[in-house]
Amino acid sequence: MLALDFFHQISSCHQCPIGCPDCIEKPSCIAEFDYPIRIVMLLISIICSIGSLALIVGVYLTRKRPIFSASSPRFICIMLLGCSIMYTEMFFLFPALSIQTCVAVKWTRHLGFCISYSALYMKLCRVYLTFRVKSAHKIKLTEKHLLHWMIPIMVIMLLYLSAWTMSHLPVLEVIKTTNGQRDSQCAYNWWDHVLVVGEVIFLAYGVFICWRIRDNRDAQFISYAIYNIFFINSVMLALHLVLMPNSGPNMKYFLAFLRTQIATTVTIALILGNKLYRVYHGNLPTMKEIVNSPNGFAHDVPDLDEQNSQLQDEMKKMAMQIERLKRYAMSKNNPHLKSNTHANVTAAEIDFCKMDNFTTL
């Protein structure tokens, strides 16, 4: 009886695992997920995303401090928002991929990159344009000016992603990993290639600007952040497309986690680390030190020429009134004047009486 059962077991046909067109051995030919490790990386990404949003609140509450008010707090918040979006990519990569998750991955990856890097790029352009000026007069580029430059970049990215999503949805393709197992991944097409080339050119121009202002200490940490983003994106692009195109799902998830952490967390540390350290230890620069910065980085510090134009007009009116009062005082009862003193005094009195709303000193 036992021999019959054994013979039936080895001679009977069993259905192949789901996703395997043919199979010889019992183990599945589909690559399996290492969920404990993936859960740890996902939790770290979620904590970082929530931490980025908390930093936005912290920067907003301390935006009037000189160390933040002189460093474009709006663009710091925009950068943190982009970083938070980039962290959410790990959430959509966690389960088995589908068309919907592929769309979400592409949106969070490219839109988050565009938001965070454009904010850094605007801060960098401000320093670059100021650094190029050789005259003593400073160029005043406020946050409103920079936002007007940043909005077209965001509109182009949103239009491109929307056209991509509506015209050509990503599809899943099955690849054979280095272990001989099957795995599904989001297929790449010319939409991906065009967008990657555009981002590489954008990053390369940012690196060029960083090199041009390498002697400017105000842009030191911004330059380090852009160098870091360019380096890690170049390395990961080479790993995905050239060195490890057929790696397993766990390795791909780890590489995505590594790219997100290095490109995003390191950027936040470079931009905000020094400021938060000085705020925590109370070693804050004064407003006078920021305004007198030799590199002219404090563009959003309150300026009398921009914010008090009405006061300047009042001062000009007061100066004219003081001049008229001086002429009247010199003409009246002055024995050194000629015989036509009375005519001069009369003319001065008429001129003095014409003044409207004379300011009492």
Side-chain angles (χ1 to χ4, degrees):
M1 191 68 179
L2 294 176
L4 184 60
D5 293 339
F6 176 75
F7 177 77
H8 178 72
Q9 182 177 4
I10 63 175
S11 62
S12 60
C13 296
H14 299 279
Q15 185 179 2
C16 292
I18 299 176
C20 298
D22 52 4
C23 56
I24 299 176
E25 298 179 356
K26 187 176 180 180
S28 173
C29 66
I30 301 298
E32 297 180 356
F33 292 166
D34 191 351
Y35 281 105
I37 297 178
R38 294 168 74 95
I39 289 175
V40 171
M41 292 187 286
L42 178 62
L43 289 177
I44 294 175
S45 300
I46 293 175
I47 292 173
C48 292
S49 180
I50 297 175
S52 300
L53 298 177
L55 285 175
I56 293 176
V57 177
V59 172
Y60 178 78
L61 294 177
T62 58
R63 66 190 183 280
K64 294 184 179 180
R65 292 195 177 188
I67 194 171
F68 286 109
S69 62
S71 300
S72 304
R74 290 183 184 177
F75 285 97
I76 293 178
C77 293
I78 294 173
M79 181 204 71
L80 291 171
L81 177 61
C83 292
S84 180
I85 294 175
M86 291 178 66
Y87 283 124
T88 58
E89 176 188 350
M90 303 303 300
F91 175 77
F92 297 106
L93 287 174
F94 181 80
L97 291 176
S98 62
I99 296 179
Q100 290 76 17
T101 55
C102 285
V103 172
V105 166
K106 295 181 185 296
W107 270 82
T108 54
R109 178 184 300 170
H110 297 293
L111 184 61
F113 167 80
C114 183
I115 293 174
S116 58
Y117 180 75
S118 297
L120 291 177
Y121 183 75
M122 292 297 107
K123 290 166 65 66
L124 188 68
C125 285
R126 166 186 284 180
V127 182
Y128 175 63
L129 295 176
T130 306
F131 190 69
R132 289 178 55 188
V133 176
K134 302 301 181 182
S135 62
H137 181 69
K138 294 182 179 180
I139 294 180
K140 292 296 181 181
L141 294 175
T142 62
E143 292 184 352
K144 292 183 179 180
H145 294 143
L146 298 177
L147 283 174
H148 291 162
W149 296 353
M150 182 178 175
I151 289 175
I153 300 175
M154 302 303 305
V155 171
I156 291 173
M157 177 59 74
L158 289 173
L159 290 177
Y160 188 88
L161 291 174
S162 300
W164 183 4
T165 304
M166 291 185 294
S167 63
H168 193 282
L169 286 175
V171 297
L172 294 176
E173 63 177 3
V174 179
I175 63 171
K176 199 169 186 178
T177 65
T178 54
N179 297 330
Q181 295 177 317
R182 296 176 181 271
D183 182 34
S184 299
Q185 69 174 10
C186 302
Y188 296 100
N189 50 42
W190 68 272
W191 289 89
D192 295 271
H193 302 324
V194 171
L195 189 55
V196 169
V197 170
E199 291 177 352
V200 169
I201 295 174
F202 198 21
L203 279 170
Y205 187 69
V207 171
F208 170 74
I209 294 179
C210 292
W211 179 255
R212 291 289 301 273
I213 59 173
R214 59 188 180 277
D215 297 329
N216 192 306
R217 291 181 299 174
D218 286 336
Q220 182 180 10
F221 292 106
I222 301 177
S223 299
Y224 289 161
I226 292 179
Y227 289 148
N228 173 70
I229 295 173
F230 181 79
F231 174 76
I232 190 61
N233 280 276
S234 301
V235 171
M236 291 301 169
L237 187 64
L239 287 176
H240 279 291
L241 298 180
V242 180
L243 300 178
M244 304 175 63
N246 296 326
S247 57
N250 297 318
M251 177 57 67
K252 287 183 179 179
Y253 194 79
F254 173 74
L255 291 177
F257 172 78
L258 192 65
R259 178 185 59 81
T260 304
Q261 291 298 319
I262 297 178
T264 307
T265 307
V266 174
T267 298
I268 295 175
L270 288 172
I271 300 301
L272 289 177
N274 183 48
K275 295 179 177 58
L276 295 177
Y277 177 82
R278 299 183 72 173
V279 169
Y280 180 77
H281 290 277
N283 185 17
L284 299 177
T286 62
M287 183 66 73
K288 183 178 180 181
E289 294 175 350
I290 296 177
V291 173
N292 295 331
S293 173
N295 297 318
F297 187 55
H299 296 264
D300 292 300
V301 177
D303 188 359
L304 185 64
D305 294 336
E306 298 180 359
Q307 300 186 2
N308 296 330
S309 59
Q310 295 181 355
L311 179 60
Q312 287 184 340
D313 295 338
E314 293 296 328
M315 293 176 64
K316 290 179 181 179
K317 292 180 181 179
M318 183 180 296
M320 294 176 60
Q321 293 173 357
I322 291 175
E323 181 65 24
R324 293 178 180 178
L325 178 61
K326 184 178 70 173
R327 288 169 52 192
Y328 173 76
M330 291 177 62
S331 301
K332 188 176 183 179
N333 299 327
N334 193 339
H336 300 287
L337 296 178
K338 296 180 180 181
S339 56
N340 58 351
T341 303
H342 179 71
N344 293 335
V345 172
T346 303
E349 288 178 349
I350 294 174
D351 190 20
F352 180 73
C353 294
K354 288 182 180 180
M355 292 188 298
D356 296 332
N357 300 326
F358 182 77
T359 303
T360 304
L361 300 178

